[in-house]
Each structure stands twice: as C-alpha cells, then as structure tokens.
Amino acid sequence: MVKSTESESRKLLGRLREAMASDAEGQARLDRITQLIGDSMRTEVCSVYLFCDDDTLELCATEGLKPESVHQTRLRLGEGLVGRVAKTGKLVNTPDAPSAKGFRYMPETGEERFSSFLGIPVQRLGDTLGVLVVQSRDARVYSADEVYALEVVAMVIAEMTELGTFVGEGAALSPRHQQPVLMRGGTAQEGAAEGHVWLHEPRVVVSNPIADDPDAELVRLTGAVEELRVGVDRMLEMSKDGDKEALQVLETYRMFANSKGWMRRMEEDIARGLSAEAAVEKEQSQARARMGQVTDAYLRDRLADLDDLSNRLLRILTGQGVNTGAELPVDPILVARNIGPAELLEYGRSLRGIVLEEGSVGSHAAIVARALAIPLVIHAGQVTVEALNGDHIMVDGDQGVVHLRPGESVITAFRDKMAMQAKAQERYTSLLDKPAKTLDGVVVALHMNAGLMADLPSLESSGAEGVGLFRTELQFLVRNKMPRRSELVALYARVLDAAHGKRVVFRTLDIGSDKVLSYMKPNDEPNPAMGWRAIRVGLDKPGIMQMQIQSLMRAAKGRPLTIMFPFVAQFEEYKAARAAVMKSLTREIRLGRALPEKLEIGAMLETPSLAFAPQKFFDDVGFVSIGGNDLKQFFFAADRENERVRRRYDTLNVSFLGLIEQIVKRCATSGTPLSFCGEDAGRPIEAMCLAAIGIRTLSMRPASIGPVKSLLRRADLGAVRRIIDDARARGDQSVRPAVMEWLGQQG
Ligand code: PEP
Ligand code: MG
C-alpha cells in the first residue's frame, strides 16, 4: 500500500512541479493545482484557503465548489472546520462533516452536497499559512496514506506560497510576506530607526521542494547528514575541556544527528517525491509544531536543539550560509531570535536598530545595544518568521513597536517622529559646551555610563564631564575566556587615554545575577540577583579582584585613579575591599612601580541596608554612587528583569524619594561626594526631581545627556522642590502627577 501511495504521491508531485514551472499567472497556477489534486485523489472537491490577514482565511481556489465563491468566501480563524484546522494546526478527517464539531454551512459554495471532509494545515516551519481541503459526496474516512500524500502536497503549497508563486497579475492572494505587520514588544534601548531587515540567521529558501529522482536525493541527504555529523563531532572535540552545559548540548546534537527515526522519516519523505531539503523541512515543521504544544522545559529545549540541527542541515544542502558582515544592506536592522553580546559587538555600530524575539532589558545584548546607542526592541512576536532579508522596517525603541513593511501612512508618521527627534538632537548639540545650570543657579554635573571601548568617543560628542560608571564586567562578558592581566592593563590604559584627563570611575567586576561568565562555573542559585554577585564574588575570590585592581593601577601609570565597588551592603564589605586596594598599592610600591597620582575609592549604594550604615561609613568612604536600578528593585522587592513587575513602582514614589533624600543628607553630613548612576538619571523628569532633592552629580547613557541638560537648564529646582513637598504633604503616592501638571503649566 505504501509503495502504491509512494508512486501516487510522486506522480502527483511530478504534475505539481509542471504546474509550478509553467508560466501561468498566479491564480491559474493555483486553479491547476486544485484540479490536479482533485483528479489524482479521485475526490470531488479540492480547495485551498489562505490567510488574507492575521485572522481571516479566504477561499483562493477550488475544484468542485461553486467557482463564484472563490475570493468571496471568507472565514475567521477558528470558524467552521477550515478555521478549526487553521487555528489548531491539526488536521480534521471526518466522514460526516455536517455533524462534526464546529461545522459551518456556507451556502455560497454549494458544499452541502459533500459529506466527507479532510482538512490539512498548510504549514511552513510551524507557521500556518492556510488550509488544504478535499471533500467528497460519499461518507468516507481518508486513509492514512491519502492523508500523508496530502500533507506532502500541503507542504509544497506552503513553499510555493512563500516563494510568491501565486503572486503576479491575477494574483491568487497577497502573500503573507508582502503585507505590513505591526509588532508590539518591549523597549530595551530607546530611539527610532528606519532601515532594512538583516536576519542574523537568514531563513533558508527551499526553491525545489519536489524532486523526480529519489535516489539522487537520498544520496544528497546522506552526504549532508554525514557532513553534519562530522561537524558536530568536531565541535565536540573542540569543546572537550570546556563548559559542561555546552558539551551536553553538543551530545544531544550528536544523538539527533545519529537518530535512526529522524533519518528514516526523511528517507520516506524523499521516497514520496520530496527533495532532500523539503524532507528536512517537513520534519522540522513537525518538530516545531510539537514545540508549540509541549510544556516541559527540557523537552522544549531538545526540540529547539533539533530545530537548530535541521537549520544546519538545510544550510549544508542549499549552500545558503550564515550572514557575514560584508553583505549588510543599507541601514541594516538586525532581526534575530536572540543574540549574544560578542556577536552583537561584531556588527558594532553598523546597525541602525535591533529587533529580538526574546531577550530581556538586562540581558548582555541589551547592555551592548545600549552602550552602542542602537534602538532595541525585545519580545517582538515572531519577527524572524514574518521578516525576510531586505524588508523595509521601522523600529520605535521608545514605544517598543516594530513596523514591518509599513504602509504609506505609517511611514509618514514615523518619519515625522524621526525628524522631530533630529531637531531635538540639534538643540542638544547647541548645548554641548554649556553647563547644566538651572534657572535658580544650581549646577548639576552630568557624567556618562560606559563599559566598552566603543563608548569612549561619546565622551566628546555628548558633552559629558567624565565617565561616572565604567562597567568593567562588559569586557569579561564579551569574551569566551578570562582576560589576562596584561590585556586588562592595556584596555584600561586605552580607556584613560581616550578620556583625556576626564575622571573615569572604574567599577570593579559586577558579575553574577544575570551577568554570567561562560567560562566560570555556573551557580545554580534560586535568586541570582540576590545571590553571589559583585563584591561578594570579589571578596570570596580575591585572586580575580586583586588582578583587576592591579591592572587598574598599572594602567593609571601615575595618573589619577578612581575605583568603585558594586553592591556594597554593609560597612565591613567596603573596609575589606578598601584593604584589598591598599594591599595592591603596597605591592606596587614594593615593586617600584608608578603609583596613581590620586586614588579615590568609593562604594555603590545599591541595597537599602547601606543607606542605614553607621555614619562612620559615610565618613570613611571616598564617594558614594547610588545604583538606582538595583536599589529600586530591592526597595520595592520588584525584579528589574521581570516585565510583569518592573514598572509597577514609580521612581518618583514618595517613599523612594525619601530614601534618596536620606542618603543625600547622610553624605552631606560627612561631606562625602554623592552621585546617582542608575537608568533614572538619564530620564529628564526623574533627573530633575533627583536634582531637586539634592543630587548634584548624575551619570547616564551618553544619549540622555542632551535631553536631561535641556530640561535642567529650563528648571527652577526650588519650585520643583516645593511641588514635591506639597505632594508629600498631601499624601500622594508619587510626585509624578503633580510634577507633570506643573510642567504642563510651564509649557
Ligand atoms: C544600578 O544598579 O543602578 C547600576 C548602575 O548598576 P547595574 O545596572 O550595572 O547593575
Ligand atoms: Mg547595579
């Protein structure tokens, strides 16, 4: 039976290929296909429904239903049996359609005469594009072989749809990849960008789904699988001494690559008329469909591994490689499921924007994107499925919105917004050499946050007075092995050179929490943000801390040096860290090396506990910098990485401002310099309120300096202070509404 179906489906596919190769117009091709299927399956009706928008299916061609219903009959997703197939992605095979659950009678088609119904989802890589239906008068259940043959045909139709085979004059439909799509995600770096899609991992296009020589296809498949196996073995060999988790993943890859079941299914697909790449893709599609259904995280990961492996196999078969920087389109916007910081750095500033399906605000990729000031939208739906290389795309990093293939009105509105931003930018540029002096004469020092060499040019272009926070861990994160001391010395020296005498506050390693070094043993902690991180790691692993401190001293080579310790929760930790610096200093003296001309040692105040430390701490510490991102998450017990609670509490909440004000007072009592370096420092309204309660130094991303300065120069801090005090006296939860209203009155 299988044999006869094999040759049947091969025959059918052979005829389909002729239809594909013909130069008939889109609609004519689709009509021919339904006719061919109807004939060879000896069934009275064959119809193709395709999505005309996200939740509407349109009858695009039919053999057997009334011709006038073509392009007239429409169904919503989930409506009728066809809608059910599209919604669930699962086939429906019933001898008595009118009694089946969800049946909806469509009089315009004349389908009431047909009893049996077989609907197969037209899918490509787990993405449903439409439904292929056969119906017949007699009440029959279609056999497993018929179902199989139709599944193969559905897949070919999916490929053809993707390739735009049905488009052209007399188009059967507007294919999905030509329609505008709006995606709402989250914002990870503000800014607007317009450009063209650059898929980090381009979709492989299978242009030859049908093959007439199964033996030749089998040889191609076997050869490609062999190449894949050799590649996986080579990777395993190379990672032998490496990370255990990476090894486990590779072991799984090897298991799949040698899986007899996987191979057998693909061989069967080829025997039924598919080309080698179409067979790989068919199995991949099915794995993806399963991936959408399993809830077990481990299983999902394994299916994802299989998905990745299939991609590799497709690349080998089609010769379509991974993107290389050389072929970037003009104004490239990177589109990816996710991306690592090192890969992102390789693209560097050539990118206009980034859109990710996954990612998080605090991820390393986001940190790099921010450092490079590239607008980044995360959690952007299925953007890698929707987008094709070269597509026109607009990224709104402020709203977390992505417009793919936008229509005219969106383009106009978006460009207006970009023009407004450019105008604002001009205004900021004109303020470059002016101080952030408020109307009532208070001068606020604006510094910038950095972490990569790539940030340093911004010191000049942003007008920052110095680097208020240099996140040294970024250099560790973007490598795959621990940097050597000599490398660190060279790097820190380059940073100081580039700063041309401006103050740079080097924060020692803040690893742990979300910042995991691939080359350090991972810690399985239930709450990493509150776990073994930052100074806790530094004090427990003095070797790394000493190496870093020593590198900084050698890089300073007689120049002033500022070192700051992250995440200090109590006085003792600061004392221990300071002692480590002193130890290094003594060593350098003993070795007769040049000492820093001036050495400042400070602490980041990121846990509420430090705000309540003995006054002696504030007397002793060289300076304090409030790490508002962490301080806020611990003050409100709201994870900064958790989209559900991240924005729940306002920075301008009176309780939080109360805490900041207390820190201001305690530092003032001791005469200790204080700054604020969390993200809020770069938000103009927040920055203005922080200044109003006494913060005199703010450190922020370079791009925020202009907007913050611009508002501060127009603000009367005394008046803002009164608004804040009144709001508190009234018992407001946040001072924001009162401040916004006042700003509105000021125009
Ligand atoms: C902070 O917590 O506010 C801070 C500046 O440090 P990071 O964002 O690197 O944790
Ligand atoms: Mg922090």
Side-chain angles (χ1 to χ4, degrees):
M1 186 64 199
V2 171
K3 271 267 165 300
S4 75
T5 317
E6 270 175 23
S7 56
E8 278 304 304
S9 68
R10 216 164 52 231
K11 244 190 268 164
L12 173 57
L13 288 179
R15 289 161 76 189
L16 271 185
R17 192 162 61 164
E18 279 163 30
M20 272 170 78
S22 78
D23 50 10
E25 301 290 3
Q27 184 66 52
R29 284 189 195 194
L30 207 51
D31 291 344
R32 176 91 188 108
I33 288 168
T34 49
Q35 197 189 343
L36 281 175
I37 299 170
D39 275 2
S40 54
M41 292 197 63
R42 286 177 280 281
T43 176
E44 284 113 345
V45 177
C46 174
S47 317
V48 176
Y49 296 81
L50 292 166
F51 276 105
C52 54
D53 62 41
D54 270 357
D55 42 29
T56 316
L57 287 150
E58 183 176 303
L59 176 65
C60 287
T62 186
E63 172 70 17
L65 296 183
K66 289 184 186 158
E68 57 273 25
S69 57
V70 171
H71 297 303
Q72 298 305 320
T73 293
R74 289 189 168 190
L75 288 157
R76 296 191 70 74
L77 187 62
E79 188 185 357
L81 293 182
V82 174
R84 185 170 122 199
V85 174
K87 186 168 182 184
T88 58
K90 290 195 186 125
L91 64 87
V92 169
N93 185 0
T94 171
D96 182 11
S99 333
K101 188 173 145 233
F103 176 79
R104 181 180 161 272
Y105 170 53
M106 292 176 292
E108 71 275 22
T109 62
E111 68 172 345
E112 67 279 12
R113 296 170 283 140
F114 305 105
S115 174
S116 58
F117 174 102
L118 170 60
I120 306 263
V122 173
Q123 281 177 324
R124 187 173 190 267
L125 300 180
D127 191 20
T128 305
L129 309 175
V131 181
L132 172 63
V133 177
V134 290
Q135 291 170 280
S136 53
R137 235 184 265 269
D138 52 336
R140 58 186 272 213
V141 174
Y142 291 90
S143 71
D145 293 324
E146 284 172 312
V147 169
Y148 186 94
L150 217 58
E151 274 177 347
V152 170
V153 172
M155 185 196 149
V156 173
I157 293 180
E159 288 299 334
M160 293 161 90
T161 310
E162 278 281 293
L163 287 169
T165 312
F166 308 132
V167 198
E169 264 179 68
L173 76 159
S174 152
R176 149 167 223 174
H177 283 129
Q178 294 201 341
Q179 288 168 6
V181 184
L182 165 88
M183 272 165 283
R184 286 180 202 285
T187 169
Q189 163 67 20
E190 286 96 355
E194 176 178 1
H196 300 96
V197 169
W198 177 251
L199 287 165
H200 179 53
E201 291 208 304
R203 290 159 71 96
V204 172
V205 181
V206 177
S207 49
N208 57 336
I210 309 168
D212 50 11
D213 183 354
D215 295 337
E217 293 304 302
L218 216 51
V219 170
R220 288 182 63 227
L221 179 71
T222 319
V225 170
E226 191 47 38
E227 198 179 324
L228 180 76
R229 283 182 191 148
V230 171
V232 172
D233 284 346
R234 203 169 40 230
M235 284 195 285
L236 260 170
E237 185 58 36
M238 271 159 48
S239 328
K240 214 165 56 231
D241 310 316
D243 182 65
K244 234 168 78 196
E245 259 179 74
L247 264 178
Q248 275 171 1
V249 170
L250 287 173
E251 289 287 0
T252 320
Y253 276 21
R254 178 150 74 177
M255 190 188 81
F256 278 127
N258 289 302
S259 154
K260 293 215 166 54
W262 187 45
M263 201 59 202
R264 197 196 58 237
R265 286 194 301 276
M266 292 190 292
E267 285 168 2
E268 281 172 10
D269 295 331
I270 287 177
R272 287 179 153 105
L274 290 189
S275 66
E277 39 273 70
V280 176
E281 208 178 78
K282 182 164 178 288
E283 293 311 312
Q284 187 182 18
S285 249
Q286 279 169 1
R288 280 212 184 163
R290 260 178 284 149
M291 198 148 55
Q293 285 155 14
V294 295
T295 46
D296 180 86
Y298 178 80
L299 270 182
R300 277 180 67 90
D301 281 352
R302 296 295 73 78
L303 286 169
D305 291 343
L306 179 59
D307 195 59
D308 189 38
L309 210 63
S310 306
N311 275 335
R312 284 168 195 264
L313 195 51
L314 280 175
R315 293 212 159 88
I316 296 173
L317 279 166
T318 58
Q320 295 170 25
V322 177
N323 278 328
T324 60
E327 309 150 24
L328 286 179
V330 264
D331 298 330
I333 307 256
L334 185 99
V335 171
R337 259 202 274 174
N338 214 340
I339 188 166
E343 290 168 301
L344 199 49
L345 270 177
E346 268 174 42
Y347 285 109
R349 288 188 198 277
S350 57
L351 299 176
R352 291 281 159 274
I354 307 164
V355 182
L356 301 179
E357 283 182 8
E358 297 168 9
S360 74
V361 195
S363 69
H364 310 148
I367 292 170
V368 173
R370 252 176 256 151
L372 298 172
I374 302 172
L376 165 62
V377 171
I378 54 175
H379 303 155
Q382 285 200 308
V383 65
T384 59
V385 177
E386 299 282 357
L388 294 181
N389 256 343
D391 275 350
H392 186 200
I393 184 169
M394 293 177 140
V395 180
D396 184 340
D398 304 324
Q399 305 294 329
V401 168
V402 177
H403 303 279
L404 187 62
R405 301 179 288 268
E408 274 314 310
S409 57
V410 172
I411 293 177
T412 313
F414 195 89
R415 287 192 180 149
D416 283 351
K417 180 179 163 143
M418 284 188 46
M420 263 166 66
Q421 284 186 351
K423 233 189 178 140
Q425 207 52 51
E426 266 173 39
R427 202 172 67 238
Y428 304 146
T429 310
S430 70
L431 299 178
L432 210 57
D433 300 321
K434 303 213 165 79
K437 189 172 178 184
T438 64
L439 292 179
D440 46 347
V442 178
V443 178
V444 181
L446 305 183
H447 292 248
M448 66 172 235
N449 295 345
L452 301 168
M453 259 331 272
D455 296 326
L456 271 300
S458 303
L459 201 45
E460 194 104 335
S461 59
S462 68
E465 289 181 35
V467 177
L469 167 66
F470 189 90
R471 292 177 161 109
T472 59
E473 62 275 6
L474 294 197
Q475 290 299 332
F476 284 71
L477 282 169
V478 297
R479 283 161 201 255
N480 49 20
K481 62 178 199 298
M482 183 74 86
R484 286 198 305 266
R485 189 175 56 194
S486 56
E487 290 173 313
L488 288 182
V489 174
L491 173 82
Y492 299 150
R494 285 213 326 267
V495 172
L496 288 168
D497 292 347
H500 297 297
K502 286 186 175 173
R503 182 171 179 254
V504 179
V505 181
F506 288 98
R507 171 173 81 180
T508 61
L509 275 186
D510 183 5
I511 49 170
S513 187
D514 67 308
K515 299 167 192 157
V516 185
L517 301 185
S518 59
Y519 42 88
M520 253 176 85
K521 215 170 100 217
N523 274 300
D524 221 355
E525 295 184 301
N527 265 315
M530 293 199 266
W532 195 58
R533 56 173 287 200
I535 194 172
R536 300 172 183 178
V537 179
L539 294 177
D540 292 354
K541 291 227 173 255
I544 302 181
M545 191 151 101
Q546 285 296 344
M547 173 178 83
Q548 202 184 14
I549 295 171
Q550 213 161 52
S551 308
L552 285 167
M553 288 194 182
R554 294 190 183 170
K557 242 171 118 187
R559 290 177 281 193
L561 177 64
T562 310
I563 302 177
M564 175 163 79
F565 290 98
F567 217 62
V568 177
Q570 55 183 9
F571 191 13
E572 286 307 315
E573 287 168 345
Y574 172 72
K575 281 194 220 165
R578 193 174 199 291
V581 179
M582 289 311 152
K583 190 170 154 198
S584 270
L585 199 63
T586 315
R587 187 151 181 265
E588 294 300 286
I589 293 173
R590 214 176 47 235
L591 293 173
R593 291 184 180 266
L595 301 179
E597 176 195 75
K598 179 178 156 205
L599 181 61
E600 289 180 88
I601 308 169
M604 281 189 82
L605 197 158
E606 306 187 87
T607 61
S609 64
L610 198 63
F612 298 89
Q615 191 62 32
K616 182 86 173 63
F617 161 73
F618 292 95
D619 293 342
D620 284 9
V621 72
F623 62 92
V624 170
S625 189
I626 298 174
N629 307 337
D630 275 314
L631 184 62
K632 191 176 155 193
Q633 79 164 335
F634 296 117
F635 187 71
F636 289 113
D639 187 345
R640 64 193 260 192
E641 291 274 317
N642 183 337
E643 291 297 329
R644 264 194 148 144
V645 297
R646 196 164 83 74
R647 287 182 230 260
R648 198 176 175 101
Y649 304 97
D650 193 350
T651 304
L652 300 186
N653 176 299
V654 290
S655 312
F656 191 59
L657 288 185
L659 175 70
I660 307 277
E661 199 168 19
Q662 182 187 335
I663 301 166
V664 170
K665 282 189 188 139
R666 299 202 71 186
C667 285
T669 305
S670 297
T672 302
L674 171 67
S675 62
F676 188 106
C677 65
E679 291 298 310
D680 290 314
R683 303 196 169 104
I685 308 221
E686 281 82 339
M688 181 181 75
C689 293
L690 289 171
I693 58 169
I695 301 278
R696 292 291 172 265
T697 303
L698 296 165
S699 191
M700 63 198 76
R701 313 180 204 157
S704 300
I705 290 184
V708 168
K709 192 190 277 186
S710 170
L711 183 60
L712 283 175
R713 285 173 59 85
R714 287 177 289 150
D716 176 344
L717 290 190
V720 179
R721 176 72 213 214
R722 283 192 291 281
I723 309 286
I724 294 176
D725 286 343
D726 290 349
R728 281 166 155 172
R730 277 195 306 274
D732 291 1
Q733 179 168 284
S734 164
V735 304
R736 189 178 302 275
V739 170
M740 293 305 287
E741 191 189 333
W742 177 78
L743 278 175
Q745 286 160 7
Q746 307 299 303

